[in-house]
Amino acid sequence: MLKQRLEALIPQWREEIGKINKENGNLQISTVNIGQAYGGMRGVNGMICDTSEVPPDKGLIIRGIPVAELTEKLPEEVFYLLVTGELPDAKALKALQKDLEARSKVPAYVWKVLAAMPKDSHPMAMFDTAVLVMEKESKFRAMYDKGMKKSDYWIPTLEDSLDIIAKLPAIGAGIYRMRFKKGNKIPSKKGLDWAANYAKMMGIADKTGNFAALMRLYMVLHSDHEGGNVSAHTCHCVGSALSDPYYAVSAGLNGLAGPLHGLANQECLGWLLMVLEQFKGVPSPEDLRKFSWDTLNSGKVIPGYGHAVLRITDPRFDAFRAFGRKTMPEDPVFKLMDMVFEIVPKVLVEQGKAKDPWPNVDAASGALLYHFGLKEFSYYTVLFSISRAMGMCSQLIVNRAIGTPIERPKSVTTAWIKKQIANKPM
Ligand code: NMX
Ligand code: MLT
């Protein structure tokens, strides 16, 4: 049903974008200065992403719906929304869930490859390897090799995307159990939703069902964050060379594994635990203020705070905090996370460097995972990855559908910059 819906929508997208380009292709939408060229292209409007947007004063909006209004949805519904721009009705949701279930078996060779990796491999290196090693399954590559029309590229891209997304919960859970010696892999259960199945395969005790609820929320909140973040942009760039989704998604995941991006959630919990250890429990506000300054004075960033685009508290942080308040208000790590939110923004403002002193999504998630006994924090970015694959894949599908070309911005040299400065009008 998802494919059928896309078959109806894509001609409309193509017509609309073709018309925009033909009639207004020359309309200026951004300028670039030297500071931006040296400064990570911050604030340059240089690419299109229709799956979601992140206005600095509002935070994540998926296809017109603020993320705060999607917290009760299933991740599968959000994936359908990302790809089509519409939430699925009950029938379309059921069809998507069945389709994912049918595609969920992980090839046996994946487990062999993972078992052959060094035992101290980072879980992100294992997860990324698992995605890459499945490249031989790519329907996009098979069809491309046979000769396929450009207008059909999106079809095997959708196929590969569904195959990848369907398998990620089992791969992620399998890596958790293998890497941290939790015992045999736990099989999936027919009829469970995608995130609840992941929770089950992890093997985390969950009498209340709250862990499964957290997994659903986690997968919704991390699903996408417009097109310019490191992982989405990398995935888009690699995909634009017509590398298939296995190559493109694994490339994006390598970016997500960086401490300034997705790995910040691991760093964040590490920082909270360091505080608890140093003060033998939740410190006083003044001690926490001093500890924050010590982190800054040692030349480190405070993980989970700041953002390249946002200039408010990340609504995804608010959603996690609300979940914590409801389910674990007395948990010491949660309480500390809450207290950090009171102190750190003030410290960052005092320091005067960070343009955004507010918490991002990574500031809260670790504390909640820790509460449920998921204490191996080097694993946390794998959770982010399972979710973000939905955003990366939906961006790939849309980009193949609207026929975006190979990405190739122009770079310039410092010598060229110096010439521009020498020639600038007085
Ligand atoms: N702690 C200390 N210093 C910071 C922080 C922070 N949390 N955030 C920004 N700064 C510093 C930054 O390092 C830079 O310093 P310098 O001039 O010495 O290079 C200065 O403030 C200006 O940086 P900004 O323009 O505010 O931030 P930028 O857009 O370059 O980077 C982040 C954005 C997110 C990389 C940055 O805020 C950061 O490193 N935060 C901590 C890591 C983190 O939480 N990352 C997760 C992002 C969300 N995600 O999930 O991907
Ligand atoms: C994300 O979710 O990708 C992060 O908040 C980073 C970003 O948007 O730059």
Side-chain angles (χ1 to χ4, degrees), residues 152-224:
D152 286 346
Y153 286 173
W154 70 271
I155 301 169
T157 303
L158 172 65
E159 286 289 323
D160 282 355
S161 296
L162 290 168
D163 283 340
I164 292 173
I165 291 167
K167 292 172 179 55
L168 293 186
I171 292 175
I175 288 173
Y176 177 67
R177 299 191 63 78
M178 183 185 264
R179 174 66 177 73
F180 300 105
K181 302 188 175 50
K182 299 286 176 184
N184 292 338
K185 292 194 289 291
I186 298 172
S188 64
K189 189 170 165 211
K190 263 199 163 67
L192 276 188
D193 60 83
W194 185 73
N197 231 327
Y198 172 58
K200 181 184 180 301
M201 289 186 280
M202 289 287 286
I204 304 276
D206 189 22
K207 276 201 193 117
T208 57
N210 281 344
F211 182 66
L214 176 62
M215 289 301 97
R216 291 190 192 100
L217 179 66
Y218 195 106
M219 297 300 157
V220 166
L221 295 181
H222 287 81
S223 59
D224 202 34

Side-chain angles (χ1 to χ4, degrees), residues 138-154:
S138 173
K139 293 168 182 156
F140 182 91
R141 179 156 68 87
M143 283 184 65
Y144 189 86
D145 288 349
K146 274 194 206 145
M148 158 176 56
K149 288 202 304 267
K150 187 174 177 187
S151 56
D152 286 346
Y153 286 173
W154 70 271

Side-chain angles (χ1 to χ4, degrees), residues 39 42 222 225 229 256 258-265 267-268 295-296 300-309 311 314 316 344 348 351-358 360-363 384 388:
R42 208 71 83 254
H222 287 81
H225 216 234
N229 67 72
L256 198 67
L260 295 189
H261 190 17
L263 207 83
N265 58 11
E267 303 273 303
C268 224
T295 301
L296 295 177
K300 293 186 194 137
V301 295
I302 300 185
Y305 282 75
H307 201 273
V309 172
R311 295 296 176 259
D314 191 332
R316 300 171 296 174
V344 164
L348 286 173
Q351 191 205 29
K353 268 168 62 167
K355 293 187 190 70
D356 171 44
W358 302 110
N360 60 58
V361 66
D362 291 328
F384 196 152
R388 186 52 61 87

Side-chain angles (χ1 to χ4, degrees), residues 336-387:
L336 175 60
M337 184 275 283
D338 222 24
M339 187 177 176
V340 171
F341 178 45
E342 297 298 319
I343 306 285
V344 164
K346 290 181 196 140
V347 170
L348 286 173
V349 168
E350 234 177 283
Q351 191 205 29
K353 268 168 62 167
K355 293 187 190 70
D356 171 44
W358 302 110
N360 60 58
V361 66
D362 291 328
S365 56
L368 308 187
L369 298 172
Y370 201 77
H371 172 81
F372 288 104
L374 186 41
K375 296 195 166 170
E376 298 81 3
F377 48 88
S378 66
Y379 180 77
Y380 289 176
T381 313
V382 172
L383 281 130
F384 196 152
S385 305
I386 296 172
S387 170

